[in-house]
Amino acid sequence: MATINKNFRKLSAGYLFPEIARRAKAYQEAHPDAKLHRLGIGNTTEALPKAVLDGLHVKVDRLGDAKTYTGYGDEQGDTPLREALSGYYRDLGVEIAPDEFFVSDGAKADAANIQSIFGSDNVVAIQDPAYPVYVDSNVVSGRTGHFDRNRGEYEGFVYLAGTEENGFFPEPPQEKVDLIYLCSPNNPTGAVATHEQLQAFVDYARKNKAVIIFDAAYAEYISDDSLPRTIFEIPGARECAIEINSFSKFAGFTGVRLGWTIVPKELVAEDSEPGELHKMWFRRQVTFFNGASNIAQAGGIAVLSTDGLVQSRQIIAYYMENARIIREGLRSVGLTVFGGDNAPYLWVKTPNGMGSWEFFDQLLTQCQVIATPGSGFGAAGERYIRVSAFGHRENIVEAVDLIKKNLVISKENN
Ligand code: PL4
């Protein structure tokens, strides 16, 4: 008799993004003439630049000739791409050996799967609010008790709240935890950790033999050179951190699909030797994953070329100009806005202490603008919404104009 993984029953609600899509669809069906402005899901919209397209085309052509055709590659990624990634980190002032990179088909799957190399009794600390994958993957793997609806939290997790008071980047936990998920630049708040803030986590992790899982999917959006773009800029991080990153937002690969994870050879857990976790992730990937698409990997190499970097960064600058337009527009109607300086997300306080979903509905019905309710990222996200800066400029400008024109904010309590 088969039984189910009952941890799935613990999951608090439907996955956030399909729920947003469901509500948007219902509104569209009820208002077929309405033009919706989608600033919800962080989805890239601008065309790939020439240098990257050229890299993709060359690989496609090579697949069309038996003399240059290639089938399965190494599960951990093609060596030229891992060498190019190593060069990219060298330019950031950090040495990572090519064989410490594990190329993937994107950061989401790695963020969900990485917990599988750790014990099921590990205590997990999560930034709150956070990208839902960190939470849900650990719930399904049995590292929590039930979801407490009153508190909006799972029993057993240690939540590290990002609040206005701490600039949306928390301090390390007071108690002993084993795994710590950090995301900087942060989804959803747009906050970026300083060297000092990350150093405090690295010091904590080394002292407690904890491991930091660091999601740097938006690192390329940092324009302030005083801020760290990788956790490996922090002394001691090689012993205690794994970094997950992606070409999705870096280079518009949300549909192409390509990412990477760095597991340094010095990384240790309480009961492991240096090198063991690195070998375990290798073993996990070669067993359960068959490698990223070779076309996508050729595209990744093109992104990391001199022209590819220049052209990809021009597109990032375009999205960051969107962020500036959104920030100024929302502030002009009296909303309190955070983020959007070194990240493509703006974290907006709901007016009059309104609930996140309530404000989501107000933006949808009054302005035909779709944002993401902050509560979907955790209890600390309640009374905020996230606005994504991805989108065509004309759509962004139109959305901001609609908000300026149609959003009704009661002035009394705001
Ligand atoms: C919508 C912090 C977006 N259906 O594209 P990937 O897999 O390389 O990257 C996923 C990812 C990883 N880490 C962080 C992220 O923010 C994301 C993408 N997040 C968003 O709007 O929050 C896209 C979400 C997608 C999903 O469920 O991830």
Side-chain angles (χ1 to χ4, degrees), residues 55 93 113 158 173 222 267 283 290 292 311 315 341 359 367 408 411:
N113 292 328
V158 173
I222 297 176
L267 181 70
R283 183 70 168 84
N290 243 343
Q311 293 169 19
I315 296 171
D341 296 315
F359 191 46
C367 313
V408 180
K411 296 232 169 6

Side-chain angles (χ1 to χ4, degrees), residues 15 17 40-43 105-109 111 131 133-134 183 185 187 215 217-218 245-249 253-254 257-259 345 377 386:
Y15 188 59
F17 296 106
I41 296 178
N43 203 356
D105 60 2
K108 182 177 180 178
Y131 181 46
V133 175
Y134 319 139
C183 177
N187 175 14
D215 188 335
Y218 301 96
N245 207 324
S246 169
F247 286 91
S248 282
K249 312 298 161 62
F253 274 32
T254 42
R257 308 304 305 147
L258 193 67
Y345 295 124
F377 298 98
R386 188 194 77 176

Side-chain angles (χ1 to χ4, degrees), residues 220-221 312-323 393:
E220 273 289 328
Y221 287 75
S312 298
R313 286 171 179 158
Q314 283 165 354
I315 296 171
I316 289 173
Y318 175 93
Y319 292 132
M320 291 309 290
E321 174 61 10
N322 286 350
R393 180 67 44 77

Side-chain angles (χ1 to χ4, degrees), residues 55-56 58-74 77-80 290 292-298 301:
L56 292 165
V58 167
K59 183 65 190 175
V60 170
D61 288 343
R62 290 173 73 85
L63 291 175
D65 182 340
K67 289 195 227 52
T68 49
Y69 171 86
T70 51
Y72 290 126
D74 288 342
D78 292 344
T79 301
N290 243 343
S293 143
N294 50 17
I295 300 169
Q297 293 192 66
I301 293 171

Side-chain angles (χ1 to χ4, degrees), residues 149-362:
R149 291 198 182 275
N150 294 327
R151 288 188 299 137
E153 295 182 351
Y154 286 94
E155 293 159 6
F157 273 150
V158 173
Y159 288 90
L160 307 174
T163 61
E164 194 173 341
E165 289 68 40
N166 62 21
F168 301 103
F169 201 87
E171 290 187 0
Q174 301 293 322
E175 60 272 72
K176 188 175 174 341
V177 302
D178 306 309
L179 294 179
I180 305 169
Y181 285 80
L182 295 179
C183 177
S184 175
N186 188 261
N187 175 14
T189 66
V192 185
T194 62
H195 279 85
E196 293 70 28
Q197 285 171 319
L198 287 189
Q199 188 71 64
F201 274 94
V202 166
D203 292 346
Y204 172 94
R206 290 174 77 195
K207 190 165 157 225
N208 292 284
K209 284 272 173 357
V211 171
I212 299 168
I213 296 162
F214 188 75
D215 188 335
Y218 301 96
E220 273 289 328
Y221 287 75
I222 297 176
S223 57
D224 178 346
D225 286 334
S226 73
L227 296 168
R229 291 182 170 84
T230 159
I231 196 162
F232 298 115
E233 287 182 46
I234 310 302
R238 288 183 58 86
E239 284 167 39
C240 65
I242 291 172
E243 180 160 301
I244 296 173
N245 207 324
S246 169
F247 286 91
S248 282
K249 312 298 161 62
F250 177 173
F253 274 32
T254 42
V256 178
R257 308 304 305 147
L258 193 67
W260 70 90
T261 286
I262 299 167
V263 185
K265 292 185 195 134
E266 287 96 315
L267 181 70
V268 280
E270 200 167 333
D271 54 355
S272 77
E273 294 297 320
E276 196 173 347
L277 282 162
H278 177 270
K279 280 194 197 129
M280 284 167 69
W281 185 244
F282 178 87
R283 183 70 168 84
R284 193 267 168 211
Q285 289 300 83
V286 298
T287 309
F288 295 154
F289 179 61
N290 243 343
S293 143
N294 50 17
I295 300 169
Q297 293 192 66
I301 293 171
V303 169
L304 298 172
S305 69
T306 307
D307 286 349
L309 284 173
V310 168
Q311 293 169 19
S312 298
R313 286 171 179 158
Q314 283 165 354
I315 296 171
I316 289 173
Y318 175 93
Y319 292 132
M320 291 309 290
E321 174 61 10
N322 286 350
R324 190 193 63 74
I325 292 168
I326 297 167
R327 187 174 52 237
E328 289 192 359
L330 298 192
R331 282 187 181 156
S332 77
V333 298
L335 291 167
T336 305
V337 184
F338 303 94
D341 296 315
N342 291 284
Y345 295 124
L346 297 109
W347 191 234
V348 183
K349 236 178 173 170
T350 62
N352 305 316
M354 192 184 266
S356 297
W357 277 108
E358 201 186 335
F359 191 46
F360 168 92
D361 284 335
Q362 188 183 348

